[in-house]
Amino acid sequence: MGNPVHDEAGAMESDIASAASSCRHAEYAPSVHKVGFPPKKKLVEEFTETFKETFFPDDPLRTYKDQPKSRKLVLALQSLFPILEWGPEYNLAKFKGDIIAGLTIASLCIPQDIGYAKLANLDPQFGLYSSLVPPLIYAIMGSSRDIAIGPVAVVSLLLGTLLQNEVDPIKDKVNYQRLAFTATFFAGVTQALLGCLRLGFVVQFLSHAAIVGFMAGAAITIALQQLKGFLGIQKFTKKTDIISVMKSVWGSAHHGWNWQTILIGASFLAFLLFTKYIGKKRKNLFWVAAIAPLISVVLATLFVYLTHAEKHGVQIVNHIKKGINPSSADQIYFSGSYLTKGIRIGVVSGIIALTEAIAIGRTFASMKDYELDGNKEMVALGTMNIVGSLTSCYVATGSFSRSAVNYMAGCHTAVSNIIMSAVVFLTLKLITPLFKYTPNAILASIIISAVIGLIDFEAALLIWKIDKLDFLACMGAFFGVVFISVEIGLLIAVTISFAKILLQVTRPRTVLLGNLPRTKIYRNIEQYPEATKIPGVLIVRVDSAIYFSNSNYIKERILRWLRDEEEKLEAKLLPRINFLIIEMSPVTDIDTSGIHALQELYKSLQKRDLELVLANPGPVVMEKLRASDFMELMGHNKIFLTVDEAVMTCSPKAREDV
Amino acid sequence: MGNPVHDEAGAMESDIASAASSCRHAEYAPSVHKVGFPPKKKLVEEFTETFKETFFPDDPLRTYKDQPKSRKLVLALQSLFPILEWGPEYNLAKFKGDIIAGLTIASLCIPQDIGYAKLANLDPQFGLYSSLVPPLIYAIMGSSRDIAIGPVAVVSLLLGTLLQNEVDPIKDKVNYQRLAFTATFFAGVTQALLGCLRLGFVVQFLSHAAIVGFMAGAAITIALQQLKGFLGIQKFTKKTDIISVMKSVWGSAHHGWNWQTILIGASFLAFLLFTKYIGKKRKNLFWVAAIAPLISVVLATLFVYLTHAEKHGVQIVNHIKKGINPSSADQIYFSGSYLTKGIRIGVVSGIIALTEAIAIGRTFASMKDYELDGNKEMVALGTMNIVGSLTSCYVATGSFSRSAVNYMAGCHTAVSNIIMSAVVFLTLKLITPLFKYTPNAILASIIISAVIGLIDFEAALLIWKIDKLDFLACMGAFFGVVFISVEIGLLIAVTISFAKILLQVTRPRTVLLGNLPRTKIYRNIEQYPEATKIPGVLIVRVDSAIYFSNSNYIKERILRWLRDEEEKLEAKLLPRINFLIIEMSPVTDIDTSGIHALQELYKSLQKRDLELVLANPGPVVMEKLRASDFMELMGHNKIFLTVDEAVMTCSPKAREDV
């Protein structure tokens, strides 16, 4: 392989050959900088640094430095209960903003709560319970000023689907409710644990593209579920995929859909969508879209009451249990087969709920330019759900639509959640009988108009433009949810996310570098067509740390670059390669497998009569190469600060002088 | 935060300020190179490239190019059955080498097979069966010339432990054997599937450090299990952890260990270890260590026969069933509860067996400088185990010790495995009655001397020198196996490996760069103390692709660098920072989450009156920044080819002229 061509390019050959021998024997040339060793760190120091960077990247104890003990105690309490921090600074101006925002989101949340509880196959009052206690806990412990807490569509659907796989919600209502509370308890435990152990970064492992697809699929699924109430169908499939739903819908078509129901539902849906459109077009009319659901409920209830539409087949809510949250601490399973089921469902829904809440919190914190500690938020959300599970609530989290309304209505602090909670309190105490004649169709319309906002076409389009493989992931999650089931869609989303991470790790990029003429700069020849390869030298840049997960691939890939290059040179009868320079600046770290791969590469090259040269290794890599004796094997004079210095030392005449 | 200090350093301040405005408005300065866009690739092209690089990185179809159809068929058959390739070139010289190697490894494998079958709680003949059929299949389909196939210690231990958790090997022998064959079948299926789907890189996800720890722990565990035969103990614990074993050993101490057994075992163990030592010291005496086990068996059997030691409490093998492998196809579970157990155990043991075989194959291929296709090997190993499971064999793979002996004895091809298989055939047909008086103690001694080689102190020491955290992983796996159980130790090894990968992904390195005086080079200020920071400019290099898994961390880390730097400058009353330059060359890729993080960073900086500047983004990143309109947001004149050009354009007088 690669016999030197003696006849052609003879002068250049001998130059390269003599430079090769001088490279083997020379000490540092005067223009070559010495590659520095970093100061040796103690084991404890190294470990502490890595630990801090992994779990405490935002340096949360920064404010505790140099403070007296009493102050530290105050800071610690304020950290756990942020209300102690912003409470004393509360004033009337903030209260004005909060009370308007609170009333607005309350009007939005009451009809949604009743509808979402249905999604979770629970009685309507449980939705209202979950808008009463959790927001209060959050207001004490949470840090986001704009998030609106309560039941949300996607988590309610997820919970409903997972629970009804285990227990029938109609035939075994008691156990179903007990399992719901158990799942909520363990969702809260999961969230609080992740926050306490500062494992918040786990939530980031769901790829954005997969989430977009999953949310859109969930929205479609939820809208399809509403067809039951919307069309007044009695017999409806338990499954959630589009095929089963459509079968149910067309199957009952010849029974006749209830036209009165459709009339009510369709007209109010049109009204709601119209108000939503107005709210988007003119930002100052957002409140119209916000109070539209409550007005629709009132009007629809009046209409049914006056026309006695329920006698014409229009299904109504009929009964919401009066009174505030009863205790449910005795209903949670702490043993038995339902315990493991509850834990499993709790962990899954807890993490999904976290993803929503953290995304919302970060978005508004970034818009209003304040900082949000993700792990602290998780502890607050977890505590909220634990307490909620003891007071007949199910999994609550931040709602996109309500938080946006909260923000636009001018909220200042979490007091808006307290106001909303107070309104729900009054509703449960006094107003629930008035919902008797509320038609299911209006709730269906409200939910449909709410989830349509979850389908983010713009995000999907952006993903398509940026990364087609990402778009595949998005579509995979979407179709998984719509055509198979919510759990399978979620599983597809998670698997795709992990596969992406693994792919990134296991197939790192390697590129060939060429010299930009008349400069000392070397760039990727694929991106810069003017970059020219240096004769007799092959320069490869490895764009990743070299770990066990990719060391073998990197070694084989470099050898393949070499082989392809030599084949091309042979075909054109050009002189062969004598030096393989590896540009190491992106190689942030290396482990024993990586060093082993470098050793094998070195031996492989020796057999082919090539020299291995390293350029610009980082401090960590330098340290490890020295510790492993690889540097002795290779020779310290083969390591250079820049690619240019390496090229100039190994092949001085090969590059045009600058 | 960061108010400009007007009084001090006034001249420098105004220079920087005016440069800042010129940076905002200037077009390309003549010395600045334009950052190139890569040629746009079609979706299909992009997808095919990524697919090929992920699954076919070694370009296996290279040899098929430009060949006539008949040749392609021959190449394809040779690829599936490599024996068709090297068979025709076989000659007498190679046969001489192979027959010596074959006889040597046969003498080594026969006593080991009987011992390892015991580890797996199977009757001795199953070990011999597994050295008869699998090596034959491998010789036809495998590509490694040096590997020696048969049962191995670690896999036998793993299989035995996992199987006896499900079925009692003594009380329910029939089902235990059936489950063993089922597990072997699915181990083979797993291996072949991974190979066919070219998912071989999955095997690389076990970190080298964790494997070293796991193997050492397994070796200790196996040695401890041998104490039963070595000391002649009747009642022995089923558990494998060191505490239970020691309890059994001391518990039976007052019953009295059988001194005759100990005498036999200890003396031959000393003999075996001595021959091993000789073999290491003088490479040409390796054959002494190789035939020592068989000689020990012969001598010990003679001794017991002549002295009737079995009447004095020395336990003997007593009976090995005569005859070659019976068919076991009807014994494999294809339905029922045992099926899922068999699949689970099969997958685990299959992957561990793969790890060993691939490591061995690669080591010798690298030493003899031939190529090995990992995925093809997996198909061969998988087929071998599938066929083995139908012929009463259990999981076989490559053995470290026997392969080393094979290599040193001068094997040329896999014919050595065929020779070994022939010898085992003869043994099963004729010689098995002679093993009647073989004491268990000698088998125990052979196994102890064999597994001691699995404890790689040098590798552990190297890991300690190179990466202390890696060493922690190694120790975690080791202690998990020794003190808890093999499965838990394996779980710890896998978890640590994955955690390392996730850590690498989720906490990428970011470093501050400074200018090396009198050059245009910028390096990590931690590694190069002479690198000086540029006034008014903060240069951060991000050492990883920016994906959803780390985008938020990177954004927050950069903002923290900025904040820390500004605090230091304020304390020293130095001018504030005006430009944040991100050196993007290690950023190989970016997705929507990454672009979103850049947008948030940009807005954050705008609020603080800072400019965001990018240096040397790669082609993929450039393409995506353009597709996402981020470049319009930022301004195309803020993207430079090198850090130096960025610094010179934004802050011309800040760096000493070169």
Side-chain angles (χ1 to χ4, degrees), chain A residues 135-433:
Chain A
L136 288 175
I137 308 293
Y138 184 84
I140 300 171
M141 294 188 70
S143 338
S144 171
R145 305 174 201 162
D146 310 275
I147 199 171
I149 298 291
V152 296
V154 174
V155 173
S156 305
L157 172 78
L158 186 63
L159 208 59
T161 323
L162 293 175
L163 288 171
Q164 82 181 6
N165 282 344
E166 309 291 339
V167 184
D168 190 308
I170 302 170
K171 293 176 187 163
D172 199 359
K173 201 166 169 181
V174 173
N175 277 327
Y176 186 89
Q177 282 176 10
R178 292 189 66 182
L179 193 59
F181 297 139
T182 315
T184 307
F185 180 81
F186 286 106
V189 166
T190 309
Q191 296 170 341
L193 253 177
L194 284 177
C196 282
L197 298 178
R198 300 199 70 81
L199 292 173
F201 59 80
V202 164
V203 172
Q204 283 165 215
F205 282 130
L206 279 168
S207 107
H208 173 67
I211 289 181
V212 166
F214 176 76
M215 287 295 185
I220 300 269
T221 306
I222 292 167
L224 288 173
Q225 293 288 301
Q226 303 318 305
L227 288 179
K228 179 178 190 235
F230 196 81
L231 303 173
I233 300 172
Q234 298 276 44
K235 285 196 184 169
F236 205 76
T237 176
K238 276 205 188 131
K239 292 192 185 173
T240 54
D241 62 284
I242 190 172
I243 314 233
S244 310
V245 169
M246 282 304 154
K247 276 190 193 158
S248 276
V249 167
W250 297 120
S252 60
H254 52 80
H255 286 190
W257 299 327
N258 187 277
W259 67 266
Q260 295 95 326
T261 311
I262 301 176
L263 183 65
I264 297 173
S267 43
F268 278 106
L269 178 61
F271 169 60
L272 288 163
L273 291 175
F274 178 65
T275 54
K276 226 179 163 151
Y277 177 74
I278 293 181
K280 269 195 181 160
K281 278 291 168 188
R282 290 177 176 243
K283 292 278 174 184
N284 54 343
L285 290 180
F286 77 93
W287 55 270
V288 177
I291 63 171
L294 194 61
I295 291 184
S296 311
V297 170
V298 169
L299 289 177
T301 313
L302 262 176
F303 178 78
V304 170
Y305 177 67
L306 294 172
T307 62
H308 292 291
E310 78 278 12
K311 294 189 175 54
H312 297 279
V314 174
Q315 299 204 16
I316 50 177
V317 170
N318 211 2
H319 175 69
I320 300 180
K321 194 167 167 216
K322 203 173 170 183
I324 60 168
N325 307 26
S327 159
S328 61
D330 57 332
Q331 296 193 40
I332 298 176
Y333 289 110
F334 286 114
S335 62
S337 68
Y338 282 132
L339 174 65
T340 32
K341 289 173 180 156
I343 294 180
R344 189 171 44 83
I345 298 174
V347 168
V348 174
S349 36
I351 292 183
I352 298 297
L354 265 184
T355 315
E356 283 203 58
I358 297 296
I360 295 170
R362 286 222 168 99
T363 307
F364 288 108
S366 155
M367 276 159 68
K368 278 190 173 173
D369 204 25
Y370 60 90
E371 270 178 44
L372 199 69
D373 182 345
N375 291 302
K376 231 165 67 172
E377 274 297 276
M378 291 182 184
V379 174
L381 293 162
T383 316
M384 164 182 107
N385 278 312
I386 293 175
V387 175
S389 71
L390 303 169
T391 51
S392 303
C393 309
Y394 71 96
V395 180
T397 183
S399 154
F400 281 119
S401 50
R402 291 199 291 262
S403 307
V405 168
N406 198 22
Y407 170 81
M408 297 178 81
C411 66
H412 283 105
T413 65
V415 167
S416 55
N417 278 287
I418 298 179
I419 304 289
M420 174 185 81
S421 181
V423 173
V424 173
F425 174 83
L426 290 171
T427 308
L428 281 168
K429 274 282 188 192
L430 307 169
I431 315 181
T432 43

Side-chain angles (χ1 to χ4, degrees), chain A residues 53 57 467 553 557 560 624, chain B residues 53 57 467 553 557 560:
Chain A
E53 198 62 32
D467 193 332
Y553 166 77
R557 188 70 184 87
R560 188 152 62 97
K624 295 189 176 184
Chain B
E53 199 61 32
D467 194 332
Y553 166 77
R557 190 68 184 90
R560 191 152 60 98

Side-chain angles (χ1 to χ4, degrees), chain A residues 561-579:
Chain A
W561 278 123
L562 184 65
R563 189 183 59 214
D564 291 345
E565 204 52 32
E566 284 184 334
E567 278 178 7
K568 282 185 209 164
L569 290 174
E570 259 196 76
K572 293 184 198 167
L573 300 174
L574 286 169
R576 60 174 283 248
I577 303 216
N578 289 298
F579 297 97

Side-chain angles (χ1 to χ4, degrees), chain B residues 352-588:
Chain B
I352 298 298
L354 265 185
T355 316
E356 282 203 59
I358 296 297
I360 295 171
R362 284 221 169 100
T363 308
F364 289 108
S366 155
M367 276 160 67
K368 279 190 173 175
D369 203 27
Y370 60 90
E371 271 177 46
L372 199 69
D373 182 346
N375 290 303
K376 231 164 68 170
E377 275 298 276
M378 290 183 186
V379 174
L381 293 161
T383 316
M384 162 183 110
N385 277 313
I386 293 176
V387 175
S389 71
L390 303 170
T391 50
S392 302
C393 309
Y394 71 95
V395 181
T397 185
S399 154
F400 281 119
S401 53
R402 291 199 289 264
S403 306
V405 168
N406 198 21
Y407 170 80
M408 297 179 81
C411 67
H412 282 106
T413 66
V415 167
S416 56
N417 279 286
I418 298 179
I419 305 289
M420 174 185 80
S421 179
V423 174
V424 172
F425 175 83
L426 290 171
T427 308
L428 280 168
K429 274 283 188 191
L430 307 169
I431 314 178
T432 43
L434 299 177
F435 285 110
K436 185 176 161 81
Y437 290 99
T438 306
N440 285 338
I442 188 62
L443 297 175
S445 307
I446 291 174
I447 293 179
I448 292 177
S449 83
V451 298
I452 273 181
L454 288 177
I455 306 176
D456 199 342
F457 284 116
E458 281 175 27
L461 198 65
L462 188 68
I463 294 171
W464 166 258
K465 281 204 287 183
I466 300 224
D467 194 332
K468 307 288 191 288
L469 290 169
D470 247 357
F471 188 74
L472 228 76
C474 180
M475 287 297 106
F478 176 74
F479 287 119
V481 173
V482 171
F483 281 93
I484 311 177
S485 80
V486 180
E487 307 99 88
I488 299 293
L490 184 60
L491 193 65
I492 292 177
V494 171
T495 311
I496 289 175
S497 304
F498 270 107
K500 213 178 161 215
I501 294 180
L502 288 182
L503 257 169
Q504 170 199 0
V505 162
T506 196
R507 291 286 180 262
R509 197 169 302 250
T510 52
V511 294
L512 288 184
L513 303 182
N515 173 244
L516 291 180
R518 295 174 301 284
T519 71
K520 295 188 185 184
I521 302 173
Y522 292 77
R523 288 286 178 260
N524 183 357
I525 55 176
E526 230 188 63
Q527 186 180 4
Y528 296 90
E530 64 269 26
T532 49
K533 297 183 196 170
I534 309 281
V537 174
L538 188 70
I539 313 169
V540 182
R541 189 184 71 207
V542 176
D543 282 343
S544 159
I546 307 181
Y547 287 137
F548 61 91
S549 39
N550 57 24
S551 61
N552 199 61
Y553 166 77
I554 288 175
K555 180 194 82 175
E556 292 184 347
R557 190 68 184 90
I558 293 180
L559 287 173
R560 191 152 60 98
W561 279 122
L562 184 65
R563 189 182 60 213
D564 291 344
E565 202 55 30
E566 284 183 335
E567 278 175 9
K568 281 186 209 163
L569 291 174
E570 258 195 78
K572 294 184 196 164
L573 299 176
L574 287 169
R576 59 174 283 248
I577 303 220
N578 289 300
F579 297 98
L580 180 78
I581 302 175
I582 305 184
E583 153 77 294
M584 302 269 284
S585 45
V587 181
T588 51

Side-chain angles (χ1 to χ4, degrees), chain A residues 67-78:
Chain A
Q67 300 277 0
K69 271 208 169 158
S70 56
R71 179 96 187 108
K72 279 192 185 174
L73 182 65
V74 171
L75 282 174
L77 280 174
Q78 280 182 348

